[in-house]
Amino acid sequence: MRVEPMTPEGYDLLVREFKYLKEVEKPRVNHEKQVAAELGDRSENAEYHAAKEKLRHIDKRLFYLNGMIEKARVIDPSGLDHSRVHFGATVTLERVEDGEEERYTICGVLESEPEIGLISVHAPLARAVMGKEEGDELRVRLPAGQRVYEVLAIEYIPLFSLKKQIRSEADFRFA
């Protein structure tokens, strides 16, 4: 079984979504289905079929979340050594070819937002930079081709202070 590292905040959010779907959303949609079933012929009852479809989606999501919870390995990056790149580290890299700087934070799959530099621990760049220290060079094969980077800085910045998309109960609902 593949372990999925995540921050304590990421794990809490995952569990919160699971509980919400199981304890609030699924009973609500079940009630919708029962009300629709009471309207008569189920074969031509759009509300009934829509509720059944929502329940299927909820059950799939619950199954997925349960699997992620079982595979979760909660890591608090604030307590780790920040002299090397590790899970939760924010690393500033310089592309050797053109001197451009890039900044990434290594996080869990469900916490990632690649468009703002929050990359999954399973991403090729994240795997290549793990364990490196300031001044180290690394080569990595990316979809854009082979790149060479130098590690300029390693720091710890709380992941959820960087995120743009933090899901709430409104996002957990199945409309």
Side-chain angles (χ1 to χ4, degrees), residues 3-4 11 20 30 36 38 43 50 63 65 78 87 107 112 123 175:
V3 173
E4 290 295 338
Y11 182 79
Y20 180 84
N30 249 332
E38 292 170 2
S43 65
F63 182 78
L65 293 172
S78 67
F87 176 81
C107 58
S112 69

Side-chain angles (χ1 to χ4, degrees), residues 152-163:
L152 296 180
I154 303 165
E155 58 189 315
Y156 168 71
I157 301 171
L159 176 68
F160 273 68
S161 71
L162 301 171
K163 286 185 69 61

Side-chain angles (χ1 to χ4, degrees), residues 3-171:
V3 173
E4 290 295 338
M6 61 185 68
T7 63
E9 297 89 352
Y11 182 79
D12 290 346
L13 186 61
L14 186 69
V15 170
R16 206 168 90 220
E17 180 179 0
F18 182 84
K19 285 182 178 179
Y20 180 84
L21 288 176
K22 187 175 181 182
E23 297 170 3
V24 176
E25 192 67 3
K26 188 171 180 177
R28 182 186 68 78
V29 175
N30 249 332
H31 179 71
E32 281 179 18
K33 181 179 148 196
Q34 288 172 340
V35 168
E38 292 170 2
L39 296 176
D41 184 12
R42 293 180 186 175
S43 65
E44 295 183 21
N45 187 332
E47 290 84 6
Y48 176 79
H49 291 288
K52 271 182 65 172
E53 186 66 20
K54 282 185 206 175
L55 284 172
R56 269 196 295 277
H57 288 294
I58 291 169
D59 286 337
K60 280 182 178 179
R61 183 71 178 164
L62 283 169
F63 182 78
Y64 173 76
L65 293 172
N66 187 55
M68 290 301 286
I69 290 168
E70 287 176 355
K71 294 187 282 187
R73 179 168 168 230
V74 179
I75 300 172
D76 184 357
S78 67
L80 299 176
D81 172 24
H82 301 300
S83 65
R84 292 187 175 274
V85 178
H86 54 77
F87 176 81
T90 297
V91 59
T92 304
L93 303 172
E94 179 182 313
R95 284 194 311 235
V96 172
E97 65 200 40
D98 60 11
E100 285 292 314
E101 287 187 14
E102 299 175 11
R103 187 169 159 184
Y104 299 100
T105 300
I106 300 170
C107 58
V109 171
L110 297 178
E111 299 165 316
S112 69
E113 292 180 37
E115 63 279 2
I116 62 167
L118 303 177
I119 60 172
S120 164
V121 69
H122 302 301
L125 182 59
R127 289 194 317 261
V129 77
M130 291 292 245
K132 301 292 188 220
E133 296 177 325
E134 288 182 14
D136 285 353
E137 268 194 14
L138 59 122
R139 289 183 188 282
V140 62
R141 183 170 304 282
L142 300 172
Q146 178 120 348
R147 290 265 166 87
V148 179
Y149 292 98
E150 180 183 343
V151 178
L152 296 180
I154 303 165
E155 58 189 315
Y156 168 71
I157 301 171
L159 176 68
F160 273 68
S161 71
L162 301 171
K163 286 185 69 61
K164 298 256 189 263
Q165 303 170 6
I166 299 176
R167 293 174 44 112
S168 67
E169 289 182 358
D171 300 313

